[in-house]
Amino acid sequence: MQLSRDELRTAFKRMCLIRQFEDAVHDEFSAGNIPGFVHLYAGEEASAVGICSHLDDRDAIASTHRGHGHCIAKGCDPKGMMLEIFGKKDGLCGGKGGSMHIADLSKGMMGANGIVGGGPPLICGAALTAKYRDTGGVAVAFVGDGASNQGTTFESYNLAKVWDLPVVFVVEDNRYAESTASDWSVGGSQVGRANGFGMPGVEVDGHDFFAVWDAARQAVERARDGSGPSLLHVKLYRYYGHFEGDASTYKAPGEVEQVKQRLDALDMFKQRVVETSLLDSEELKSIEQEAEKFIADCVAAASTADAPARDDLMTDVYVDYKF
C-alpha cells in the first residue's frame, strides 16, 4: 500500500515539527528559560508519526516521560505544548503539568507520564471502553525499553490478551534504559515476550518511517477489526541524553554523530521520496523551513505569555488549599 502525496507531506511536516520542537526546547532549557524537567524525543520521529498516521480522534494513546513527539504526532497543538512546557496559563494543561504531564483528551492523547510503565494500564482502560461502546477505537501504549521490564507492562499484556482488547503496545527501544544499554538490560527482542502472552509481535527499524508505517498499519487494522492486541518492538536512537543535563558519558565518543550520519529518520525519508519522485527536494526544503519558523513563533509566544494567576492554580485540584 502506497501513501498519497498529501499523506507524505503531512508525515514529513509532523516529523519536522517534532525535530524543530525538541531542538528548540533543548536550546531554551539550556538557556534557563524552561522550569521543571524535560526528556527529548529527537531522533525517534519516524516511530511516533509512522504509528499515529493510522489513528484518529476516536483512538487513544498513552505516552511516556519522553512524550513531546507522541503529542505532535497525535495532532496536539505545538503552540499549546510550548506554552505548557514554559509553565504558562494558556498551555494545554494550564501550565500546571509541564513536559512530563502534557495531555489533550480531545485528541485522544491521555498524557505523558512520569511513571515508568504507567501508560499500559491506562491504555487497557481506554481499549476496554472502546470495545464496550463499540466505537471501533484503538488504544496505543508507548513505552520505553526500560518500562518493558515493569510489572505494570506485563500485567497489561496479560489483561489485553485475556480480554482481547484493541491494543497496540509499542516498545520504543532507543538503546538505553536511562543510562544502561538495552541490549544488556532488556536482553533481546520484545517479540518473544509478546509471543509468551499469546500476542503477535514484530521488530521494526524505527529510523525507517515506511517500515514503521507498514508494521503499524497491520497492527492497528488487527486491533480495529477485533482480532486483539499485538506488539511492535521499534528499534531506534535518541539524540539527546536521557534527560536535559545528562552528560551521556555512557555513550561512546562520536556515537550520536555516527547514528545521525547513517540513520537519521528525516534524511532517510527525504532520500526515499526524492529517489522515487514522490516529492521533490525543494518542496521538502520548504516544509522544513515552515516548521522551523512555526516553532520559533511558538517559542516567542511562550516566552512572553502570562503565567497562571493564583485563581488559575486553584482549579483542577482535589484539595481545597487554605492560605
Side-chain angles (χ1 to χ4, degrees), residues 37-243:
F37 220 37
V38 294
H39 303 72
L40 301 181
Y41 194 76
E44 306 184 32
E45 297 84 359
S47 176
V49 177
I51 291 163
C52 291
S53 293
H54 300 284
L55 307 179
D56 55 41
D57 286 353
R58 10 167 222 178
D59 304 319
I61 68 170
S63 185
T64 67
H65 53 274
R66 198 178 309 282
H68 308 160
H70 304 141
C71 285
I72 292 173
K74 192 61 172 67
C76 297
D77 174 30
K79 181 179 179 182
M81 290 172 57
M82 193 67 77
L83 287 162
E84 182 63 31
I85 290 171
F86 271 73
K88 298 305 177 71
K89 175 182 177 180
D90 293 326
L92 280 186
C93 301
K96 301 173 186 177
S99 172
M100 284 195 284
H101 303 94
I102 293 178
D104 186 349
L105 299 184
S106 71
K107 295 294 183 181
M109 171 54 182
M110 295 181 66
N113 202 317
I115 300 173
V116 177
L122 299 178
I123 220 62
C124 284
L128 182 61
T129 298
K131 183 173 181 175
Y132 180 79
R133 293 181 174 175
D134 196 24
T135 65
V138 171
V140 177
F142 289 95
V143 298
D145 39 282
S148 69
N149 285 331
Q150 293 288 84
T152 50
T153 301
F154 289 139
E155 290 290 353
S156 298
Y157 290 172
N158 187 53
L159 180 64
K161 178 56 183 175
V162 169
W163 285 82
D164 224 17
L165 297 178
V167 174
V168 180
F169 295 103
V170 181
V171 180
E172 292 184 316
D173 180 354
N174 59 32
R175 301 194 191 186
Y176 295 99
E178 191 163 352
S179 58
T180 304
S182 61
D183 287 344
W184 184 86
S185 64
V186 176
S189 177
Q190 300 287 330
V191 172
R193 296 186 180 189
N195 295 161
F197 284 92
M199 294 187 297
V202 176
E203 186 174 299
V204 61
D205 179 1
H207 304 104
D208 184 344
F209 166 82
F210 297 95
V212 175
W213 185 91
D214 191 53
R217 175 183 61 82
Q218 297 177 58
V220 171
E221 286 178 357
R222 170 186 166 81
R224 211 180 291 286
D225 70 16
S227 297
S230 56
L231 178 144
L232 301 178
H233 181 184
V234 185
K235 304 198 75 171
L236 31 69
Y237 193 86
R238 55 174 162 83
Y239 289 165
Y240 293 111
H242 173 72
F243 57 87

